[in-house]
Amino acid sequence: LFVEDCIIQNFKVKEGGCILKAYQTSFADTIQITNSLIQDSFRGISLADEKEDKGNYNAEYVILKNTVFKNIEQWAIDSYRGGNDESTLGGFLIIDHCIFDNVNDNENHWMLKHVGLVHCTITNSVFCNAPLVKAPIRLMGKYHSMNNCCIYNAGKQTVVAGAKMDEIIYVNPKFKKKSNYELAEGSPLLGKATNGGNIGLTNIK
């Protein structure tokens, strides 16, 4: 599934109100969302119906790039891979130049929820305006990393079990226009991305 240049909004049904839901035994090679806005909804992407703990999961690659998740009542992503079957070593989450604004602002929760993902890479992204969350995501394992990201009023990120974290900025990103998340002059995110560009969106519309 490839979603590009889309606005997806107002999925507010409390039971099953997900932007995208995968059911048990369904499996996607890739779910990729780029240059899009997902907002004003109950839940984001649900990939958590494989609960038999046999090592199965719903998507090999989940890739989010230059996309905003805004005003989501629960998590932006929920992914589950249970069990100890080492024949299934997948589950890749790749997030780059995204913004998560007011996502799952519930006490001791995470903006991004996962169990059992083997690979998780988060770069150049902003997590903000969810003061009750524990952290943006639980990073756990040697193949998990977060680099060059901004966390503002959205908990404090920690890593365990060999996960890596570097260049995390806990300051106001100073958006010029919150409607499109353009950075203002003097923003601490200017020039701080892994490629020398700006943390946050790369394609402002």
Side-chain angles (χ1 to χ4, degrees), residues 134-204:
K134 187 173 184 178
I137 186 173
R138 188 180 185 190
L139 293 174
M140 183 175 179
K142 63 181 180 179
Y143 300 117
H144 287 206
S145 65
M146 176 183 282
N147 297 297
N148 299 70
C149 290
C150 174
I151 301 173
Y152 177 66
N153 197 28
K156 188 173 179 63
Q157 186 61 49
T158 59
V159 296
V160 297
K164 300 176 179 64
M165 183 170 65
D166 190 36
E167 299 295 333
I168 307 301
I169 303 172
Y170 292 93
V171 295
N172 188 334
K174 295 185 180 179
F175 295 119
K176 181 178 180 181
K177 288 185 177 180
K178 191 175 179 181
S179 59
N180 64 4
Y181 296 96
E182 181 181 357
L183 297 177
E185 184 177 351
S187 167
L189 308 190
L190 295 171
K192 299 297 184 180
T194 54
N195 61 0
N198 301 335
I199 293 175
L201 301 183
T202 58
N203 184 13
I204 303 292

Side-chain angles (χ1 to χ4, degrees), residues 10-23 41-46 49 74-75:
N10 297 324
F11 284 74
K12 292 188 175 181
V13 179
K14 296 296 183 182
E15 294 298 326
C18 301
I19 295 296
L20 170 67
K21 181 177 176 62
Y23 288 92
S41 297
F42 183 54
R43 292 173 177 162
I45 301 169
S46 178
D49 255 23
Q74 291 194 356
W75 26 261

Side-chain angles (χ1 to χ4, degrees), residues 1 16 18 27 50 63 71-72 81 87 100 104 110 114 122 127 135 155 164 175 183 189 200 204:
L1 172 66
C18 301
F27 181 76
E50 292 288 356
I63 303 169
N71 299 335
I72 309 295
R81 172 188 174 273
S87 67
F100 299 85
N104 203 12
W110 290 269
H114 78 86
I122 303 173
F127 302 84
K164 300 176 179 64
F175 295 119
L183 297 177
L189 308 190
I204 303 292

